[in-house]
Amino acid sequence: MVIQDLLDTPALQQAIADEARSKKISQAQARKIAEKYLHEIAANYSDTLVRLLDRFMTWCWSRIYNGIHIEGSERVRELAEAGHEIVYVPCHRSHMDYLLLSYVIYKEGLVPPHIAAGVNLNFFPAGPLFRRGGAFFIRRSFRGNKLYSTVFREYLNRLFQKGYPVEYFTEGGRSRTGRLLPPKTGMIAMTVQGMLRGQNRPMSLVPVYLGYEHVMEVGTYLKELKGKSKDKESVWQVLSSLRHLRNFGHGYVCFGKPINLGETLEQLQPNWRDSITTGAEEPERPKWLTPTVNLLANQIMYHINDAAALNSVNLCALAILSSEQHALSREKLVNQLNLYTQLLREVPYSRLAYVPETDGEALWELAKKHDKFIVENDGIGELIRLDGTTAIAMTYYRNNIIHMVIVPALLAAFALGHKRFHADQAEQLLTQLHPLLQQELFISHRAEDMGLWVRALLEQFVQLGLIQHVGDAQYRVAQRDSQAYAQLVLLARSSSETAQRYAIVLELLQQAQPISRNDLEQYAVQLAERLSAIHGIRAPEFFDKKVLSTLVATLKAEGYFNLTDSGDILAD
C-alpha cells in the first residue's frame, strides 16, 4: 500500500517521467524500475514479529550479557510525549548495535525505529527478518542514478511525515579502530531536506553511544586493518558468528543530548524556511545546505562522545597499554583504575558521560572474567599483562574512551616534560592542540574553554598528589620515587601515540618542504609504520592513512602551511 501510494506522488511521477525520457523507455517501464527500487528499500514492519523478537531477545541477552546499562532514556521519552519526530543517530561498533538499540527502545516503552541498513545485509533469511523488524535498505552509493536517489529520498520523507522514528549510523559503517569515524553526511542531508519538504512536527536527532565489554568482530576488524578484504555478509557468516556467542559482559546504551533540528536551523540559517518546497518540485539544495549539514554532522559526533561510558575492560586496556611491555602488577593496575575514575568523576569530560561508582578492585575483578588478560603469579604477587595479538585487539576498547582522557594525558605529559611549569604554559599548549584533537577525536569542548578545563585538571592533579602547587599558578611534579609519579607517567603515556603521530607529520612538514600533500601523507604513513615496528607500537590507527590525512587537513585549515603556485606545501 505504501509503495503504490508513493508511486503516485507528484515527486515520483515527475522522476519516473524524467527516467523514461532520459533512458528512452516507456513510462510503464520506468514505473516498474521505480517500483523495484521501492521493494528493495522499503521496510515491512510486523508487530507480531517484534513481539516474538522481544521474547527471544530477552532470553538471548540474559545469556550473552551480564546486564545492559542504559543512560538518558528519559530525554527520549520526553521528546516522544511532546510529539517530536525522533531520529536516532548512534555510533557503529558491531552488528549487535541494530538489535540492542531497538530492543532497549522497545523495553523503554517507545516505538522501535525504522533502521537504515546497508543493502549488503539484505540476504536470506536475515533480510526478510530485518525488514519485518523495521529495517529499510540503502545502497552504498546513489551516484549516477537519479531515479533511485529520488525514490529513496521520498520513502525517507514518508517515514518522517507519518511519524515513524528512524535510525541511521552517521559513520556509514562499523568502526574498525574503536574511534568514531568521520561522519558520512548523505542521510543527514536528506533529513534536513525532509524539513524542507514541509515537515510540520518538530524533529529531533538523538545521538546514542553504544559500548561493549566485548565486541565479537574485533578479530575480523584487525585482519581488515592489515589489508584483508571485507567478507561479504551471508547466511554462512551469520551461522559462523553464532559459534562465537558467549558471555560478553555488559552492554552500554547511552542516549546523548538531543539536537532539535528546527531550532538548530534557526540558529545557523534563520531564513531556511524560504527553501521549503512541496509536490512535484525537487527539494531545494540551497547554498547553505552543505556547510550546515557538515556542522550538524560534527555536532552529532560531539554529542555521541559526550555520552560515552567507561567500563571495566576499556579502563583496564587504557592502563595496561600505557605501561612498558604491556604489564602491570595488580596493585598498580587497581591504583590506576581508581585514579582514572576519580579524575573523571571530579573533572567530568561531560555531564552526560558515565563513570562507574565501582572501585578499582571491583573493576579489575569484572574485567578478569573476560579472559582478555594474562594473569601470572610469580611469588611476589599477581602480574597482569597482554601478549602481542591481544594487545592489538585491546586498542579497540581503549579507543572507545581515548577522547575522555587525551587532554588529562597530554597535560600529564607536559608536566613530566617540564618538571616545573606555570599554568599559563599548559593552557597555551592545550589550546594550540585543540583543533587537532577536536578533528581527530571529536572532542566537544570549545577552544575558549580549554583554559578552564586545564585549570580544573591541575587542581585535581594536586588533590591526587600527582603534582604540587608551589605558588602563583606554578606547579612541580611529584617526587620521582613516589607512587604518584608512576601514576602520572602511566596517565601521560595514554597520549604518547597521538603526540608521536603529530611529531612525525610536523617534522616531515619542516624537513621535506616543498612537498606535495600526497607525498606528505605517504611518507608519514611509511615512517609511522617503520617506527611502530621498531618500537612495538601496537595501535593500528597509529599509521592509518585516514587519521594522518585528517591531521594534514586540520593543519591546512589552521594555517600551519601555505601552498605554492604548483600546489606543493610550504610550512608557515
Side-chain angles (χ1 to χ4, degrees):
M1 190 167 70
V2 169
I3 286 170
Q4 293 308 315
D5 193 22
L6 274 169
L7 287 169
D8 292 333
T9 58
L12 276 190
Q13 287 284 305
Q14 181 66 51
I16 287 165
D18 291 345
E19 179 79 356
R21 195 162 44 252
S22 67
K23 296 279 175 67
K24 296 184 173 55
I25 55 176
S26 68
Q27 288 258 19
Q29 287 172 306
R31 184 184 171 98
K32 270 199 172 349
I33 294 169
E35 186 172 358
K36 180 184 157 208
Y37 289 157
L38 277 166
H39 277 288
E40 178 189 307
I41 294 164
N44 188 15
Y45 186 83
S46 162
D47 280 319
T48 306
L49 180 73
V50 168
R51 281 195 293 272
L52 285 170
L53 280 174
D54 169 36
R55 291 180 185 178
F56 172 71
M57 295 316 295
T58 301
W59 171 84
C60 186
W61 295 141
S62 67
R63 278 152 181 76
I64 295 177
Y65 293 109
N66 292 332
I68 298 166
H69 187 92
I70 302 163
E71 290 275 327
S73 57
E74 68 285 348
R75 284 187 282 274
V76 189
R77 197 175 293 107
E78 285 168 13
L79 292 174
E81 288 169 357
H84 281 237
E85 167 62 23
I86 298 173
V87 180
Y88 298 96
V89 278
C91 60
H92 203 1
R93 310 273 193 229
S94 164
H95 280 315
M96 285 288 189
D97 298 346
Y98 310 102
L99 302 169
L100 184 60
L101 183 53
S102 292
Y103 175 78
V104 166
I105 290 167
Y106 185 75
K107 282 301 190 186
E108 289 292 315
L110 298 160
V111 179
H114 278 53
I115 307 162
V119 76
N120 55 309
L121 295 176
N122 189 16
F123 59 87
F124 185 83
L129 275 174
F130 286 153
R131 207 182 284 278
R132 285 174 175 79
F136 59 97
F137 293 98
I138 177 172
R139 293 182 181 181
R140 290 290 178 200
S141 173
F142 299 0
R143 190 167 293 161
N145 193 335
K146 193 179 176 192
L147 180 60
Y148 179 87
S149 177
T150 307
V151 165
F152 185 85
R153 188 191 63 230
E154 291 303 312
Y155 175 75
L156 188 62
N157 286 341
R158 175 57 58 97
L159 294 180
F160 293 151
Q161 286 162 7
K162 293 294 183 184
Y164 292 109
V166 171
E167 173 192 328
Y168 52 78
F169 297 95
T170 46
E171 295 166 283
R174 291 166 293 157
S175 169
R176 266 62 179 172
T177 63
R179 295 158 166 243
L180 288 187
L181 301 173
K184 298 281 190 345
T185 54
M187 289 293 288
I188 301 169
M190 281 190 246
T191 304
V192 174
Q193 285 185 307
M195 294 289 283
L196 300 183
R197 294 298 267 177
Q199 167 73 12
N200 293 319
R201 300 169 67 219
M203 183 183 280
S204 286
L205 303 171
V206 178
V208 188
Y209 175 91
L210 297 166
Y212 305 91
E213 288 184 323
H214 178 77
V215 174
M216 63 180 180
E217 297 106 319
V218 164
T220 309
Y221 295 164
L222 296 177
K223 290 174 188 170
E224 288 173 16
L225 285 168
K226 286 178 181 174
K228 182 179 180 288
S229 57
K230 180 177 176 287
D231 291 333
K232 192 174 185 295
E233 282 79 3
S234 67
V235 65
W236 307 114
Q237 196 185 31
V238 172
L239 292 172
S240 171
S241 64
L242 290 176
R243 292 185 295 115
H244 301 294
L245 290 181
R246 55 184 179 82
N247 190 288
F248 292 165
H250 286 79
Y252 296 81
V253 179
C254 305
F255 297 94
K257 183 183 175 184
I259 299 168
N260 185 307
L261 192 51
E263 289 177 4
T264 304
L265 288 177
E266 289 286 353
Q267 291 167 6
L268 297 174
Q269 197 62 40
N271 61 345
W272 68 273
R273 284 187 173 83
D274 296 346
S275 302
I276 289 175
T277 59
T278 55
E281 289 179 86
E282 279 278 310
E284 284 277 351
R285 287 198 64 87
K287 286 181 181 175
W288 55 260
L289 183 65
T290 299
T292 300
V293 164
N294 290 339
L295 284 170
L296 197 55
N298 281 337
Q299 202 67 38
I300 289 166
M301 307 317 274
Y302 301 151
H303 284 214
I304 289 172
N305 267 348
D306 277 351
L310 299 176
N311 65 51
S312 65
V313 171
N314 56 36
L315 283 168
C316 286
L318 178 67
I320 296 173
L321 289 170
S322 301
S323 65
E324 284 188 44
Q325 309 303 322
H326 300 149
L328 282 176
S329 70
R330 181 188 178 115
E331 183 188 3
K332 282 189 175 178
L333 174 60
V334 167
N335 287 339
Q336 199 67 17
L337 295 178
N338 283 326
L339 175 78
Y340 294 146
T341 51
Q342 193 174 340
L343 181 61
L344 289 165
R345 230 179 267 127
E346 296 300 323
V347 187
Y349 171 78
S350 90
R351 59 187 182 81
L352 300 183
Y354 171 71
V355 180
E357 293 296 326
T358 325
D359 67 10
E361 191 71 46
L363 285 168
W364 163 239
E365 289 299 328
L366 280 170
K368 189 162 71 168
K369 293 175 182 173
H370 293 285
D371 297 326
K372 295 180 186 296
F373 306 93
I374 299 166
V375 182
E376 296 170 343
N377 200 318
D378 57 5
I380 299 172
E382 273 189 12
L383 187 70
I384 298 143
R385 65 181 181 84
L386 292 166
D387 64 17
T389 309
T390 315
I392 299 170
M394 293 308 288
T395 62
Y396 185 92
Y397 300 97
R398 177 201 61 187
N399 288 348
N400 288 176
I401 58 163
I402 193 67
H403 66 282
M404 296 175 74
V405 295
I406 190 68
V407 170
L410 284 165
L411 183 57
F414 176 82
L416 286 165
H418 291 260
K419 300 296 186 273
R420 190 182 179 111
F421 61 94
H422 195 280
D424 289 348
Q425 294 172 286
E427 282 181 38
Q428 185 184 3
L429 176 69
L430 269 300
T431 303
Q432 280 183 307
L433 287 173
H434 172 269
L436 310 184
L437 298 172
Q438 187 167 58
Q439 282 301 314
E440 184 180 330
L441 295 171
F442 296 104
I443 287 172
S444 59
H445 301 70
R446 297 175 306 170
E448 52 266 36
D449 297 332
M450 290 298 282
L452 190 62
W453 193 6
V454 167
R455 297 269 174 170
L457 285 168
L458 287 172
E459 280 183 34
Q460 193 54 35
F461 279 14
V462 172
Q463 292 288 321
L464 293 165
L466 304 177
I467 59 174
Q468 294 158 4
H469 189 225
V470 290
D472 191 28
Q474 298 258 2
Y475 299 90
R476 69 172 174 224
V477 298
Q479 292 297 316
R480 194 178 182 89
D481 58 354
S482 65
Q483 177 188 305
Y485 185 88
Q487 287 186 295
L488 190 66
V489 169
L490 266 185
L491 177 59
R493 282 193 185 139
S494 307
S495 68
S496 60
E497 288 163 15
T498 300
Q500 286 159 10
R501 191 166 48 250
Y502 293 172
I504 288 168
V505 173
L506 292 168
E507 192 67 26
L508 278 172
L509 189 54
Q510 294 205 38
Q511 288 193 13
Q513 58 179 320
I515 185 173
S516 72
R517 179 166 174 173
N518 187 55
D519 283 349
L520 176 62
E521 290 177 8
Q522 188 181 331
Y523 294 156
V525 169
Q526 289 171 351
L527 189 51
E529 284 178 336
R530 169 65 67 88
L531 290 170
S532 71
I534 293 170
H535 297 286
I537 298 168
R538 304 290 186 183
E541 75 277 0
F542 185 70
F543 45 82
D544 184 349
K545 186 170 182 182
K546 288 179 185 173
V547 174
L548 289 160
S549 181
T550 299
L551 174 57
V552 173
T554 311
L555 289 170
K556 181 185 178 186
E558 293 298 311
Y560 282 98
F561 60 76
N562 303 307
L563 296 178
T564 65
D565 293 339
S566 59
D568 286 344
I569 291 170
L570 277 176
D572 185 276

